Amino acid sequence: MTTVTNARHDPVAAPAPSPRTTAIALILVLGSIMTTLDMTIVNVAINRLSQDFAAPLATVQWVTTGYSLALGAMIPATAWATGRFGARRLYLVAIALFTAGSLLAGAAWNIEALIFFRVLQGFGGGMIMPVGMTILIRSAAPDRLGRVMSTLGLAILVGPLTGPVLGGWLVDDVSWRWMFFINLPIGVAVIALAARFFPRDTPQAAKRLDVPGLLLLSPGLATLLYGVTVGGERHGFDSPGVLVPIVAGALLIVAFVARALTARDPLIDLSLFRDRTFAAAAGTLVLFASGYFGTMILAPLYYQVVRGESATMAGLLGIPAALASGTAMQVAGRLIDKVGPGRIVLAGITIGSTGFIVFTTQLAADTPYWVLMLAMAAVGAGGGSTVMPTMTAAARNLSHAQAPAGSSTVNLINTMMGAVGTAVASVLLTGALADRVPGSDGAVAGAAGKSREALAPALADAFQHTYAVAAVVLVLALVPAFLLPRRPAPAKKS
């Protein structure tokens, strides 16, 4: 059986960590803040976009899902592009493309244009995290990777903490367009700093890009999600317009796996999954990310549609969860180098699942906010103790040469399962609203436009139904997490 070679014994292992590692990590944080801000700001604006464009949730959610799909479409090719063009150069291009996409999204004139420009934005965003992780993995020693990765995780604190509040204020008092325009000064600053501080790397004789694999995987995922979403809109999965894309997408994905197992230079190196730690981390991310990230659009909608709150207040009510997530991530990142990822991730999933179960069972039209905020704080703490430690566990045994493929793969899983979770959550909520609120046809704007007080119990029940599915998925993530190593990485020998 082939295993992932540890960088400590790899003859082409990365050189000793650069003294600029901390500065590099902080610049990467600033770049990642753009993407996390963007996602959390848009989540708060879904209800307003649905109203302004007179579009149902199943359509508006493509502002989020289309972006995530574009992220996923770019991630598989990132490992090849890193070798072909160099990590530093590719990172600068990614930031520039994301910034340009933000400008165009802010200027969108209808929902179709907004979705299109969000996809363009996602093409740049899809490269930011995996290329950044590659740069970081190459600069940090394995026994210090957890601490450095926790620094990168600051972006996941700042984005969810400030994004909903900032987005709510922009939506309520300025314009939703500034959700995207705000990325422009950040993007310019990141480009200037990265060009100054990032080490120059020489492009290598890259492997040939697996174009057939790329043409199988990305359309396969997009087609499959499209079929699921259309099925939610039509409240059924038995029509040809739903079955054809679902089956076609599934077949394309199966064909991609078959090619990846036989191709000389596959788009995704499936041999990485022969390593138990990498495979366990991937399985954990598949389940946890779909339930955790997939339901992030729900809480702001609940507060606005069921409780009648403004977008700003919906953002403020999300602060405890964001604070808990960021704090837990920093603590877990420092403990993982001493305790081992298995123990931390199991604890994180348990805490997050418990919070989800409490939130789901207590969710109603008049539940005290403090109850919901405490439950979501537990969910946030669980997420902060799970996602980044799981990705660290997957990456710490990778060699210098395997870093691009490994970081691209785990980021692809995390991103795509978040997109799958978002699509499924919107489908479930759309169907639940249609069943419980006659005449709404599953549209959030239509549900909110009726007598909210009279419909609030039925609306809350629709959200509770959707959250219950996510809670089950999070609990299932405990199964692969049990296979993660319980011991820390050994110190790198000098």
Side-chain angles (χ1 to χ4, degrees):
M1 177 180 292
T2 304
T3 58
V4 177
T5 306
N6 191 295
R8 296 185 302 275
H9 306 294
D10 190 341
V12 294
S18 166
R20 292 186 175 184
T21 297
T22 301
I24 290 171
L26 292 176
I27 296 171
L28 293 173
V29 166
L30 187 60
S32 298
I33 281 175
M34 281 203 307
T35 60
T36 55
L37 264 179
D38 202 74
M39 288 186 288
T40 53
I41 285 178
V42 172
N43 286 342
V44 174
I46 292 294
N47 187 48
R48 174 59 62 86
L49 293 174
S50 179
Q51 294 173 354
D52 288 356
F53 291 118
L57 174 62
T59 298
V60 176
Q61 65 90 22
W62 279 97
V63 174
T64 298
T65 303
Y67 173 78
S68 297
L69 283 173
L71 290 180
M74 290 303 298
I75 290 174
T78 300
W80 169 84
T82 300
R84 175 65 178 80
F85 302 106
R88 177 180 180 272
R89 184 182 303 174
L90 188 61
Y91 188 83
L92 292 173
V93 170
I95 294 292
L97 184 57
F98 183 88
T99 305
S102 298
L103 175 62
L104 292 170
W109 52 90
N110 57 31
I111 189 64
E112 291 80 14
L114 178 58
I115 292 171
F116 177 80
F117 292 136
R118 283 282 285 168
V119 170
L120 178 64
Q121 191 184 26
F123 287 148
M127 296 184 285
I128 291 175
M129 183 60 79
V131 178
M133 280 186 63
T134 296
I135 294 171
L136 205 57
I137 291 170
R138 288 176 171 177
S139 67
D143 58 307
R144 304 296 297 275
L145 187 58
R147 180 179 294 271
V148 178
M149 289 283 280
S150 69
T151 302
L152 185 59
L154 285 172
I156 305 178
L157 166 61
V158 176
L161 181 61
T162 61
V165 180
L166 178 60
W169 174 70
L170 291 174
V171 168
D172 288 336
D173 299 323
V174 186
S175 168
W176 62 263
R177 298 181 185 279
W178 279 94
M179 299 186 304
F180 304 107
F181 291 153
I182 198 172
N183 290 327
L184 303 184
I186 302 176
V188 172
V190 172
I191 290 173
L193 291 170
R196 169 67 178 83
F197 288 99
F198 280 14
R200 296 182 181 274
D201 54 338
T202 303
Q204 302 170 354
K207 298 177 181 178
R208 180 179 300 177
L209 176 62
D210 182 15
V211 176
L214 187 62
L215 295 177
L216 288 171
L217 179 60
S218 297
L221 291 170
T223 305
L224 180 63
L225 276 182
Y226 173 79
V228 171
T229 303
V230 173
E233 290 178 348
R234 300 180 181 180
H235 317 304
F237 294 85
D238 54 352
S239 65
V242 175
L243 283 176
V244 170
I246 289 178
V247 173
L251 290 175
L252 286 172
I253 293 172
V254 171
F256 165 78
V257 172
R259 174 173 176 80
L261 291 172
T262 58
R264 180 177 180 181
D265 298 317
L267 187 66
I268 294 179
D269 185 5
L270 297 184
S271 68
L272 293 171
F273 290 90
R274 296 175 183 172
D275 177 74
R276 169 176 163 169
T277 299
F278 191 91
T284 302
L285 286 175
V286 165
L287 294 168
F288 193 87
S290 60
Y292 182 74
F293 294 113
T295 55
M296 281 190 171
I297 65 170
L298 297 181
L301 283 174
Y302 164 80
Y303 288 124
Q304 293 175 75
V305 174
V306 180
R307 308 301 288 266
E309 300 292 354
S310 65
T312 303
M313 180 56 69
L316 289 170
L317 290 169
I319 286 180
L323 278 175
S325 175
T327 302
M329 186 180 302
Q330 295 305 304
V331 173
R334 284 155 175 76
L335 288 178
I336 196 172
D337 293 328
K338 302 176 182 178
V339 177
R343 301 177 189 276
I344 294 173
V345 172
L346 284 172
I349 295 175
T350 301
I351 294 171
S353 300
T354 301
F356 249 114
I357 292 170
V358 172
F359 185 88
T360 302
T361 56
Q362 296 300 311
L363 192 66
D366 57 354
T367 307
Y369 281 165
W370 68 267
V371 174
L372 299 179
M373 292 168 74
L374 281 177
M376 290 308 291
V379 173
S385 303
T386 301
V387 178
M388 195 58 72
T390 302
M391 296 176 77
T392 301
R396 70 178 185 177
N397 286 339
L398 298 177
S399 70
H400 182 68
Q402 292 168 325
S407 62
S408 295
T409 301
V410 295
N411 275 282
L412 174 65
I413 293 170
N414 203 43
T415 299
M416 294 313 301
M417 293 315 300
V420 170
T422 299
V424 171
S426 67
V427 166
L428 291 173
L429 181 59
T430 297
L433 287 172
D435 292 340
R436 293 163 176 77
V437 184
S440 71
D441 195 31
V444 174
K450 298 178 181 297
S451 175
R452 186 187 55 79
E453 291 79 7
L455 295 177
L459 293 171
D461 187 60
F463 279 89
Q464 186 180 52
H465 169 79
T466 306
Y467 269 111
V469 176
V472 173
V473 173
L474 251 67
V475 172
L476 291 176
L478 288 168
V479 177
F482 272 109
L483 300 177
L484 292 173
R486 311 291 176 84
R487 297 180 181 179
K492 183 175 182 178
K493 297 178 180 180
S494 58

